[in-house]
Amino acid sequence: MIALDNRQAVIVSVSEQTNSEDRVVITLTPDNCVLTLTAQQARVLSTQIIQAVQRIEVKTSLAQPRQAMRRNQIPPMRNMENALLVK
């Protein structure tokens, strides 16, 4: 279950069918709106959701100031003669 705002939730479950293909069931509460998908349809939906999230993450990272990005980078190693190499 995924809790949303305003006491809403998304419940994802599997409906096992005896004589046909199992289905992915997505229920939106409290209205009990139900979306029943085949495995392929659920796969396509999940791929589209992941792609949308990645677009948001890229957009957010591009909006960060360049200085903040430089501050978070690991500083280069300067004295490599004294560094130990581990196998």
Side-chain angles (χ1 to χ4, degrees):
M1 183 173 86
I2 303 167
L4 304 175
D5 297 337
N6 301 326
R7 297 184 330 174
Q8 295 177 330
V10 177
I11 302 168
V12 180
S13 59
V14 174
S15 172
E16 296 179 9
Q17 307 292 319
T18 56
N19 56 356
S20 64
E21 179 178 1
D22 292 347
R23 302 289 176 155
V24 175
V25 179
I26 301 171
T27 307
L28 306 173
T29 64
D31 299 330
N32 287 329
C33 295
V34 177
L35 183 62
T36 305
L37 305 169
T38 64
Q40 178 60 29
Q41 291 169 328
R43 192 175 294 110
V44 170
L45 176 61
S46 64
T47 300
Q48 291 177 351
I49 291 171
I50 290 168
Q51 288 174 345
V53 169
Q54 288 174 338
R55 284 194 300 271
I56 291 169
E57 289 172 341
V58 167
K59 182 179 176 183
T60 302
S61 69
L62 291 176
Q64 290 179 349
R66 297 278 183 215
Q67 248 181 359
M69 288 176 60
R70 276 190 229 116
R71 247 183 290 147
N72 294 334
Q73 289 179 349
I74 299 171
M77 296 182 111
R78 297 177 195 257
N79 227 348
M80 291 302 290
E81 303 87 43
N82 297 330
L84 295 175
L85 300 177
V86 178
K87 276 189 176 180

Coordinates of all heavy atoms in Angstrom, one line a residue:
M1 N 0.8 -1.2 0.0 CA 0.0 0.0 0.0 C 0.9 1.2 0.0 O 1.9 1.3 0.7 CB -0.9 0.0 1.2 CG -1.8 1.2 1.2 SD -3.1 1.1 2.5 CE -2.2 1.8 3.8
I2 N 0.5 2.2 -0.8 CA 1.2 3.5 -0.8 C 0.2 4.6 -0.3 O -0.8 4.8 -0.9 CB 1.6 3.8 -2.3 CG1 2.5 2.7 -2.9 CG2 2.3 5.2 -2.4 CD1 2.6 2.8 -4.4
A3 N 0.6 5.2 0.8 CA -0.2 6.3 1.4 C 0.0 7.6 0.6 O 1.1 8.0 0.3 CB 0.1 6.5 2.8
L4 N -1.2 8.2 0.2 CA -1.1 9.5 -0.5 C -1.7 10.6 0.5 O -2.1 10.3 1.6 CB -2.0 9.4 -1.7 CG -1.6 8.3 -2.7 CD1 -2.6 8.3 -3.9 CD2 -0.2 8.5 -3.2
D5 N -1.8 11.8 0.0 CA -2.4 12.9 0.7 C -3.9 12.6 0.9 O -4.5 11.9 0.2 CB -2.2 14.2 0.0 CG -0.7 14.5 -0.1 OD1 0.1 14.0 0.7 OD2 -0.3 15.3 -1.0
N6 N -4.5 13.3 1.8 CA -6.0 13.3 2.1 C -6.5 11.9 2.3 O -7.6 11.6 1.8 CB -6.7 14.0 0.9 CG -6.2 15.4 0.7 OD1 -5.9 16.1 1.6 ND2 -6.2 15.8 -0.6
R7 N -5.8 11.1 3.1 CA -6.2 9.8 3.5 C -6.5 8.9 2.3 O -7.3 8.0 2.4 CB -7.5 9.9 4.4 CG -7.2 10.6 5.7 CD -8.3 10.6 6.6 NE -9.6 10.6 6.0 CZ -10.8 10.5 6.6 NH1 -10.8 10.3 7.9 NH2 -11.9 10.5 5.9
Q8 N -5.9 9.1 1.2 CA -6.0 8.3 0.0 C -4.8 7.3 0.0 O -3.8 7.5 0.6 CB -6.0 9.1 -1.3 CG -7.1 10.0 -1.4 CD -7.0 10.9 -2.7 OE1 -5.9 11.2 -3.1 NE2 -8.2 11.2 -3.2
A9 N -5.0 6.2 -0.7 CA -4.0 5.2 -0.8 C -4.1 4.4 -2.1 O -5.2 4.4 -2.7 CB -4.1 4.2 0.4
V10 N -3.0 3.8 -2.5 CA -3.0 3.0 -3.7 C -2.6 1.6 -3.2 O -1.6 1.4 -2.5 CB -1.9 3.5 -4.7 CG1 -1.8 2.6 -5.9 CG2 -2.3 4.9 -5.2
I11 N -3.4 0.6 -3.5 CA -3.1 -0.8 -3.2 C -2.8 -1.6 -4.4 O -3.7 -1.6 -5.4 CB -4.3 -1.4 -2.4 CG1 -4.6 -0.5 -1.1 CG2 -4.0 -2.8 -2.0 CD1 -5.9 -0.9 -0.5
V12 N -1.7 -2.2 -4.5 CA -1.3 -3.1 -5.7 C -1.4 -4.5 -5.2 O -0.8 -4.9 -4.2 CB 0.1 -2.7 -6.2 CG1 0.4 -3.6 -7.4 CG2 0.1 -1.2 -6.6
S13 N -2.1 -5.3 -6.0 CA -2.2 -6.7 -5.6 C -2.3 -7.6 -6.9 O -2.4 -7.0 -8.0 CB -3.5 -7.0 -4.7 OG -4.6 -6.6 -5.4
V14 N -2.3 -8.9 -6.7 CA -2.4 -9.8 -7.8 C -3.7 -10.6 -7.7 O -4.0 -11.1 -6.6 CB -1.2 -10.8 -7.9 CG1 -1.4 -11.8 -8.9 CG2 0.1 -10.0 -8.1
S15 N -4.5 -10.6 -8.8 CA -5.7 -11.4 -8.8 C -5.4 -12.7 -9.5 O -5.1 -12.7 -10.7 CB -6.8 -10.6 -9.5 OG -7.9 -11.5 -9.7
E16 N -5.4 -13.8 -8.8 CA -5.1 -15.1 -9.4 C -6.4 -15.7 -10.0 O -7.3 -15.9 -9.3 CB -4.5 -16.0 -8.3 CG -3.2 -15.5 -7.8 CD -2.6 -16.4 -6.8 OE1 -3.1 -17.5 -6.5 OE2 -1.6 -16.0 -6.1
Q17 N -6.3 -15.9 -11.3 CA -7.4 -16.5 -12.0 C -7.2 -18.0 -12.3 O -6.1 -18.4 -12.7 CB -7.6 -15.8 -13.4 CG -7.7 -14.3 -13.3 CD -8.9 -13.8 -12.6 OE1 -10.0 -14.3 -12.8 NE2 -8.8 -12.8 -11.7
T18 N -8.2 -18.8 -12.1 CA -8.0 -20.2 -12.3 C -8.1 -20.6 -13.7 O -7.3 -21.5 -14.2 CB -9.1 -21.0 -11.5 OG1 -10.4 -20.5 -12.0 CG2 -9.0 -20.8 -10.0
N19 N -8.9 -20.0 -14.5 CA -9.1 -20.4 -15.9 C -8.4 -19.4 -16.9 O -8.6 -19.6 -18.1 CB -10.5 -20.6 -16.2 CG -11.3 -19.3 -15.9 OD1 -10.8 -18.3 -15.4 ND2 -12.6 -19.4 -16.3
S20 N -7.8 -18.4 -16.4 CA -7.2 -17.4 -17.4 C -5.9 -16.8 -16.8 O -5.5 -17.2 -15.7 CB -8.2 -16.3 -17.8 OG -8.5 -15.5 -16.6
E21 N -5.4 -15.8 -17.4 CA -4.2 -15.2 -17.0 C -4.4 -14.4 -15.7 O -5.4 -13.7 -15.6 CB -3.8 -14.3 -18.2 CG -2.5 -13.5 -18.0 CD -2.2 -12.7 -19.3 OE1 -3.0 -12.7 -20.3 OE2 -1.2 -12.0 -19.2
D22 N -3.4 -14.4 -14.8 CA -3.5 -13.6 -13.6 C -3.4 -12.1 -14.0 O -2.9 -11.8 -15.0 CB -2.3 -13.9 -12.6 CG -2.4 -15.3 -12.1 OD1 -3.5 -16.0 -12.2 OD2 -1.4 -15.8 -11.5
R23 N -3.9 -11.3 -13.1 CA -4.0 -9.9 -13.3 C -3.4 -9.1 -12.2 O -3.4 -9.5 -11.0 CB -5.5 -9.4 -13.5 CG -6.3 -10.1 -14.6 CD -5.8 -9.7 -15.9 NE -6.5 -10.4 -16.9 CZ -6.7 -10.0 -18.2 NH1 -6.2 -8.8 -18.5 NH2 -7.3 -10.7 -19.0
V24 N -2.9 -7.9 -12.5 CA -2.4 -7.0 -11.5 C -3.6 -6.0 -11.3 O -4.1 -5.5 -12.2 CB -1.2 -6.2 -12.0 CG1 -0.8 -5.1 -11.1 CG2 0.0 -7.1 -12.3
V25 N -3.9 -5.9 -10.0 CA -5.0 -5.0 -9.6 C -4.5 -3.8 -8.8 O -3.8 -4.0 -7.8 CB -6.0 -5.8 -8.7 CG1 -7.2 -5.0 -8.3 CG2 -6.5 -7.1 -9.5
I26 N -4.9 -2.7 -9.3 CA -4.5 -1.4 -8.6 C -5.8 -0.8 -8.1 O -6.7 -0.5 -8.9 CB -3.7 -0.5 -9.6 CG1 -2.5 -1.1 -10.1 CG2 -3.4 0.9 -8.9 CD1 -1.8 -0.4 -11.2
T27 N -5.9 -0.6 -6.8 CA -7.1 0.0 -6.2 C -6.7 1.3 -5.6 O -5.8 1.4 -4.8 CB -7.6 -1.0 -5.1 OG1 -7.8 -2.3 -5.7 CG2 -8.9 -0.5 -4.6
L28 N -7.5 2.3 -5.9 CA -7.4 3.7 -5.3 C -8.5 3.9 -4.3 O -9.6 3.8 -4.6 CB -7.5 4.7 -6.4 CG -6.6 4.6 -7.6 CD1 -6.9 5.6 -8.7 CD2 -5.1 4.7 -7.2
T29 N -8.0 4.1 -3.1 CA -9.0 4.2 -2.0 C -9.1 5.7 -1.6 O -8.1 6.4 -1.9 CB -8.6 3.4 -0.7 OG1 -7.4 3.9 -0.2 CG2 -8.5 1.9 -1.1
P30 N -10.1 6.2 -1.0 CA -11.3 5.6 -0.5 C -12.4 5.4 -1.5 O -13.4 4.8 -1.2 CB -11.7 6.5 0.6 CG -11.4 7.9 0.2 CD -10.1 7.6 -0.6
D31 N -12.2 5.8 -2.7 CA -13.2 5.7 -3.7 C -13.4 4.3 -4.3 O -14.3 4.0 -5.0 CB -13.0 6.7 -4.9 CG -12.9 8.1 -4.4 OD1 -13.6 8.4 -3.4 OD2 -12.2 8.9 -5.0
N32 N -12.4 3.4 -4.0 CA -12.3 2.1 -4.5 C -12.4 2.0 -6.1 O -13.1 1.2 -6.6 CB -13.5 1.2 -3.9 CG -13.1 0.9 -2.5 OD1 -12.0 0.7 -2.1 ND2 -14.2 0.7 -1.7
C33 N -11.7 2.9 -6.7 CA -11.5 2.8 -8.2 C -10.5 1.7 -8.4 O -9.4 1.6 -7.8 CB -11.0 4.1 -8.7 SG -12.1 5.5 -8.5
V34 N -10.8 0.8 -9.3 CA -10.0 -0.4 -9.5 C -9.6 -0.4 -11.0 O -10.3 -0.2 -11.9 CB -10.8 -1.7 -9.2 CG1 -10.0 -2.9 -9.5 CG2 -11.2 -1.7 -7.8
L35 N -8.3 -0.7 -11.2 CA -7.7 -0.8 -12.5 C -7.1 -2.3 -12.5 O -6.3 -2.6 -11.7 CB -6.5 0.2 -12.7 CG -5.8 0.3 -14.0 CD1 -6.8 0.7 -15.1 CD2 -4.7 1.3 -13.9
T36 N -7.6 -3.0 -13.5 CA -7.1 -4.4 -13.6 C -6.3 -4.5 -14.9 O -6.8 -4.2 -16.0 CB -8.4 -5.4 -13.7 OG1 -9.2 -5.1 -12.5 CG2 -7.9 -6.8 -13.7
L37 N -5.1 -5.0 -14.8 CA -4.2 -5.0 -15.9 C -3.6 -6.4 -16.1 O -3.3 -7.1 -15.2 CB -3.0 -4.0 -15.7 CG -3.4 -2.6 -15.3 CD1 -2.1 -1.8 -14.9 CD2 -4.0 -1.9 -16.6
T38 N -3.3 -6.7 -17.4 CA -2.5 -7.9 -17.6 C -1.0 -7.6 -17.2 O -0.7 -6.5 -17.0 CB -2.5 -8.3 -19.1 OG1 -1.9 -7.2 -19.9 CG2 -3.9 -8.5 -19.6
A39 N -0.2 -8.7 -17.2 CA 1.2 -8.5 -16.8 C 1.9 -7.5 -17.8 O 2.6 -6.6 -17.4 CB 1.9 -9.8 -16.8
Q40 N 1.6 -7.7 -19.1 CA 2.2 -6.8 -20.1 C 1.7 -5.3 -19.9 O 2.5 -4.4 -20.0 CB 1.8 -7.3 -21.5 CG 2.4 -6.4 -22.6 CD 3.9 -6.3 -22.6 OE1 4.6 -7.2 -22.1 NE2 4.4 -5.2 -23.0
Q41 N 0.4 -5.1 -19.6 CA -0.1 -3.8 -19.4 C 0.6 -3.2 -18.2 O 1.0 -2.0 -18.2 CB -1.6 -3.8 -19.3 CG -2.3 -4.1 -20.6 CD -3.8 -4.4 -20.3 OE1 -4.2 -4.9 -19.3 NE2 -4.6 -4.0 -21.3
A42 N 0.7 -3.9 -17.1 CA 1.3 -3.4 -15.9 C 2.8 -3.1 -16.1 O 3.3 -2.1 -15.6 CB 1.2 -4.5 -14.8
R43 N 3.5 -3.9 -16.9 CA 4.9 -3.7 -17.2 C 5.0 -2.3 -18.0 O 5.9 -1.5 -17.7 CB 5.4 -4.8 -18.1 CG 6.9 -4.8 -18.2 CD 7.4 -6.1 -18.9 NE 7.2 -7.3 -18.1 CZ 6.3 -8.2 -18.5 NH1 5.6 -8.1 -19.5 NH2 6.2 -9.3 -17.7
V44 N 4.2 -2.1 -19.0 CA 4.2 -0.9 -19.7 C 3.9 0.3 -18.8 O 4.6 1.3 -18.9 CB 3.2 -0.9 -20.9 CG1 3.1 0.4 -21.6 CG2 3.7 -2.0 -21.9
L45 N 2.9 0.2 -18.0 CA 2.6 1.3 -17.0 C 3.8 1.6 -16.1 O 4.1 2.7 -15.9 CB 1.4 1.0 -16.2 CG 0.9 2.0 -15.2 CD1 0.6 3.3 -15.8 CD2 -0.2 1.4 -14.4
S46 N 4.4 0.5 -15.6 CA 5.5 0.8 -14.6 C 6.7 1.4 -15.4 O 7.4 2.3 -14.8 CB 5.9 -0.5 -14.0 OG 6.4 -1.5 -14.9
T47 N 6.9 1.0 -16.6 CA 8.0 1.6 -17.4 C 7.7 3.1 -17.6 O 8.6 3.9 -17.5 CB 8.2 0.9 -18.7 OG1 8.5 -0.5 -18.5 CG2 9.2 1.5 -19.6
Q48 N 6.5 3.4 -17.9 CA 6.2 4.8 -18.2 C 6.3 5.7 -16.9 O 6.8 6.8 -16.9 CB 4.8 5.0 -18.7 CG 4.7 4.5 -20.2 CD 3.3 4.5 -20.7 OE1 2.3 4.8 -20.0 NE2 3.2 4.2 -22.0
I49 N 5.9 5.1 -15.7 CA 6.1 5.8 -14.5 C 7.6 6.0 -14.2 O 8.0 7.1 -13.8 CB 5.4 5.0 -13.3 CG1 3.9 5.0 -13.5 CG2 5.8 5.5 -12.0 CD1 3.1 4.1 -12.6
I50 N 8.4 5.0 -14.4 CA 9.8 5.1 -14.1 C 10.4 6.2 -15.0 O 11.2 7.0 -14.6 CB 10.5 3.7 -14.3 CG1 10.1 2.8 -13.2 CG2 12.1 3.9 -14.4 CD1 10.5 1.4 -13.4
Q51 N 10.0 6.2 -16.3 CA 10.6 7.2 -17.2 C 10.2 8.6 -16.8 O 11.0 9.5 -16.8 CB 10.1 6.9 -18.6 CG 10.8 5.7 -19.2 CD 10.2 5.3 -20.6 OE1 9.1 5.8 -21.0 NE2 10.9 4.5 -21.3
A52 N 8.9 8.8 -16.3 CA 8.5 10.1 -15.8 C 9.2 10.5 -14.6 O 9.6 11.7 -14.5 CB 7.0 10.0 -15.5
V53 N 9.5 9.6 -13.7 CA 10.3 9.9 -12.5 C 11.7 10.3 -12.9 O 12.3 11.3 -12.4 CB 10.3 8.7 -11.5 CG1 11.3 8.9 -10.4 CG2 8.9 8.5 -10.9
Q54 N 12.3 9.6 -13.8 CA 13.7 10.0 -14.3 C 13.7 11.3 -14.9 O 14.6 12.1 -14.7 CB 14.2 8.9 -15.2 CG 14.5 7.6 -14.5 CD 14.9 6.5 -15.5 OE1 14.6 6.5 -16.7 NE2 15.6 5.5 -15.0
R55 N 12.7 11.7 -15.7 CA 12.6 13.0 -16.3 C 12.6 14.1 -15.2 O 13.2 15.1 -15.3 CB 11.4 13.2 -17.2 CG 11.6 12.5 -18.6 CD 10.6 12.9 -19.6 NE 9.2 12.6 -19.2 CZ 8.6 11.4 -19.4 NH1 9.2 10.5 -20.1 NH2 7.3 11.3 -19.0
I56 N 11.8 13.9 -14.2 CA 11.7 14.8 -13.1 C 13.0 14.9 -12.4 O 13.5 16.0 -12.0 CB 10.6 14.4 -12.1 CG1 9.2 14.6 -12.7 CG2 10.7 15.2 -10.8 CD1 8.1 13.9 -11.9
E57 N 13.7 13.8 -12.1 CA 15.0 13.8 -11.4 C 16.0 14.6 -12.3 O 16.8 15.3 -11.7 CB 15.5 12.4 -11.1 CG 14.7 11.7 -10.0 CD 15.0 10.3 -9.9 OE1 15.5 9.6 -10.8 OE2 14.6 9.7 -8.8
V58 N 16.1 14.3 -13.6 CA 17.0 15.1 -14.4 C 16.7 16.6 -14.4 O 17.6 17.4 -14.3 CB 17.0 14.5 -15.9 CG1 17.7 15.4 -16.8 CG2 17.6 13.1 -15.9
K59 N 15.4 16.9 -14.5 CA 15.0 18.3 -14.5 C 15.5 19.0 -13.2 O 16.0 20.1 -13.2 CB 13.5 18.4 -14.7 CG 13.0 19.8 -14.8 CD 11.5 19.8 -15.0 CE 11.0 21.3 -15.0 NZ 9.5 21.3 -15.1
T60 N 15.2 18.3 -12.1 CA 15.6 18.8 -10.8 C 17.1 19.0 -10.6 O 17.6 20.0 -10.1 CB 15.1 17.9 -9.7 OG1 13.7 17.8 -9.8 CG2 15.4 18.4 -8.3
S61 N 17.9 18.0 -11.1 CA 19.3 18.1 -11.0 C 19.9 19.2 -11.9 O 20.9 19.8 -11.5 CB 20.0 16.7 -11.3 OG 19.9 16.4 -12.7
L62 N 19.3 19.4 -13.0 CA 19.7 20.5 -13.9 C 19.4 21.8 -13.3 O 20.1 22.8 -13.6 CB 19.1 20.3 -15.3 CG 19.6 19.1 -16.1 CD1 18.9 19.0 -17.4 CD2 21.1 19.2 -16.4
A63 N 18.4 21.9 -12.5 CA 18.0 23.2 -11.9 C 18.9 23.6 -10.7 O 18.8 24.7 -10.3 CB 16.5 23.1 -11.5
Q64 N 19.7 22.6 -10.2 CA 20.5 22.9 -9.1 C 21.6 23.9 -9.5 O 22.2 23.8 -10.6 CB 21.2 21.7 -8.5 CG 20.2 20.8 -7.8 CD 20.9 19.5 -7.3 OE1 22.0 19.3 -7.6 NE2 20.2 18.8 -6.5
P65 N 22.0 24.8 -8.6 CA 23.2 25.7 -9.0 C 24.4 24.9 -9.2 O 24.7 23.9 -8.5 CB 23.3 26.6 -7.8 CG 22.1 26.4 -6.9 CD 21.5 25.1 -7.3
R66 N 25.3 25.3 -10.1 CA 26.5 24.7 -10.4 C 27.4 24.6 -9.1 O 28.1 23.6 -8.9 CB 27.3 25.4 -11.5 CG 26.5 25.4 -12.8 CD 26.7 24.1 -13.5 NE 26.1 24.1 -14.8 CZ 25.5 23.1 -15.4 NH1 25.5 21.9 -14.8 NH2 24.9 23.2 -16.5
Q67 N 27.4 25.6 -8.3 CA 28.3 25.6 -7.1 C 27.9 24.5 -6.2 O 28.8 23.8 -5.6 CB 28.1 26.9 -6.4 CG 29.3 27.8 -6.4 CD 29.1 29.1 -5.6 OE1 28.0 29.3 -5.1 NE2 30.1 29.9 -5.6
A68 N 26.6 24.2 -6.0 CA 26.2 23.1 -5.1 C 26.7 21.8 -5.7 O 27.0 20.9 -4.9 CB 24.7 23.2 -4.9
M69 N 26.7 21.7 -7.0 CA 27.1 20.4 -7.6 C 28.6 20.2 -7.3 O 29.1 19.1 -7.1 CB 26.8 20.4 -9.1 CG 25.3 20.2 -9.3 SD 24.8 20.3 -11.0 CE 25.7 19.0 -11.7
R70 N 29.4 21.3 -7.5 CA 30.8 21.2 -7.3 C 31.2 20.9 -5.8 O 32.1 20.2 -5.5 CB 31.5 22.5 -7.7 CG 31.8 22.5 -9.2 CD 32.7 23.7 -9.5 NE 32.0 24.4 -10.6 CZ 31.5 25.6 -10.6 NH1 31.6 26.4 -9.6 NH2 30.9 26.1 -11.7
R71 N 30.4 21.4 -4.9 CA 30.6 21.2 -3.5 C 30.4 19.7 -3.1 O 31.1 19.2 -2.2 CB 29.7 22.0 -2.6 CG 30.4 23.1 -1.8 CD 29.4 23.8 -1.0 NE 28.5 24.6 -1.8 CZ 27.3 24.9 -1.6 NH1 26.7 24.5 -0.5 NH2 26.5 25.6 -2.4
N72 N 29.5 19.0 -3.8 CA 29.2 17.6 -3.5 C 30.2 16.7 -4.1 O 30.2 15.5 -3.8 CB 27.8 17.3 -3.9 CG 26.8 18.1 -3.0 OD1 27.1 18.5 -1.9 ND2 25.6 18.3 -3.6
Q73 N 31.1 17.1 -5.0 CA 32.0 16.2 -5.7 C 33.1 15.8 -4.8 O 33.5 16.6 -3.9 CB 32.5 16.9 -7.0 CG 31.5 17.0 -8.1 CD 32.1 17.7 -9.3 OE1 33.2 18.2 -9.2 NE2 31.3 17.7 -10.4
I74 N 33.7 14.7 -5.0 CA 34.8 14.2 -4.2 C 36.1 14.9 -4.7 O 36.3 15.0 -5.9 CB 35.0 12.7 -4.4 CG1 33.7 12.0 -3.9 CG2 36.2 12.2 -3.7 CD1 33.7 10.5 -4.2
P75 N 36.8 15.5 -3.8 CA 38.0 16.2 -4.3 C 39.1 15.2 -4.9 O 39.1 14.1 -4.5 CB 38.6 16.8 -3.0 CG 38.0 16.1 -1.9 CD 36.7 15.5 -2.4
P76 N 39.8 15.7 -5.9 CA 40.8 14.8 -6.5 C 41.9 14.5 -5.5 O 42.3 15.3 -4.6 CB 41.3 15.6 -7.7 CG 41.1 17.0 -7.3 CD 39.8 17.0 -6.4
M77 N 42.5 13.3 -5.6 CA 43.6 12.9 -4.8 C 44.9 13.6 -5.4 O 45.1 13.5 -6.6 CB 43.8 11.4 -4.8 CG 42.7 10.6 -4.2 SD 43.0 8.9 -4.3 CE 43.2 8.6 -2.5
R78 N 45.7 14.1 -4.4 CA 46.8 14.9 -4.9 C 48.1 14.2 -4.7 O 49.0 14.2 -5.5 CB 46.9 16.2 -4.2 CG 45.7 17.1 -4.5 CD 45.7 18.4 -3.8 NE 44.3 19.0 -3.9 CZ 44.0 20.0 -4.7 NH1 45.0 20.5 -5.4 NH2 42.8 20.4 -4.7
N79 N 48.3 13.5 -3.6 CA 49.6 12.9 -3.3 C 49.5 11.4 -3.6 O 49.4 10.5 -2.6 CB 49.9 13.1 -1.8 CG 51.3 13.6 -1.5 OD1 52.1 13.5 -2.5 ND2 51.5 14.0 -0.3
M80 N 49.5 11.0 -4.8 CA 49.4 9.6 -5.2 C 50.6 8.7 -4.8 O 50.5 7.5 -4.8 CB 49.1 9.5 -6.7 CG 47.7 10.0 -7.1 SD 46.4 9.2 -6.2 CE 46.4 7.6 -7.0
E81 N 51.8 9.3 -4.6 CA 53.0 8.5 -4.2 C 52.8 7.8 -2.9 O 53.3 6.7 -2.7 CB 54.2 9.4 -4.1 CG 54.6 10.3 -5.3 CD 53.8 11.6 -5.3 OE1 53.7 12.2 -4.2 OE2 53.3 12.0 -6.3
N82 N 52.0 8.4 -2.0 CA 51.8 7.7 -0.7 C 50.6 6.9 -0.6 O 50.3 6.4 0.5 CB 51.8 8.8 0.4 CG 53.1 9.6 0.5 OD1 54.2 9.0 0.2 ND2 53.0 10.9 0.8
A83 N 49.8 6.8 -1.7 CA 48.6 6.0 -1.6 C 48.8 4.5 -1.7 O 49.8 4.1 -2.4 CB 47.7 6.4 -2.8
L84 N 48.1 3.8 -0.9 CA 48.2 2.3 -0.9 C 47.2 1.7 -1.9 O 46.0 2.2 -2.0 CB 47.9 1.8 0.4 CG 48.9 2.2 1.5 CD1 48.4 1.6 2.9 CD2 50.3 1.6 1.2
L85 N 47.6 0.8 -2.7 CA 46.7 0.1 -3.6 C 46.3 -1.2 -3.0 O 47.2 -2.0 -2.6 CB 47.4 -0.1 -5.0 CG 47.9 1.2 -5.7 CD1 48.6 0.8 -7.0 CD2 46.7 2.0 -6.0
V86 N 45.1 -1.5 -3.0 CA 44.5 -2.7 -2.4 C 43.9 -3.6 -3.5 O 43.2 -3.1 -4.3 CB 43.5 -2.3 -1.3 CG1 42.9 -3.6 -0.7 CG2 44.1 -1.5 -0.2
K87 N 44.2 -4.9 -3.4 CA 43.6 -5.8 -4.3 C 42.4 -6.4 -3.8 O 42.2 -6.7 -2.7 CB 44.6 -6.9 -4.7 CG 45.5 -6.6 -5.7 CD 46.3 -7.8 -6.2 CE 47.2 -7.6 -7.3 NZ 47.9 -8.7 -7.7

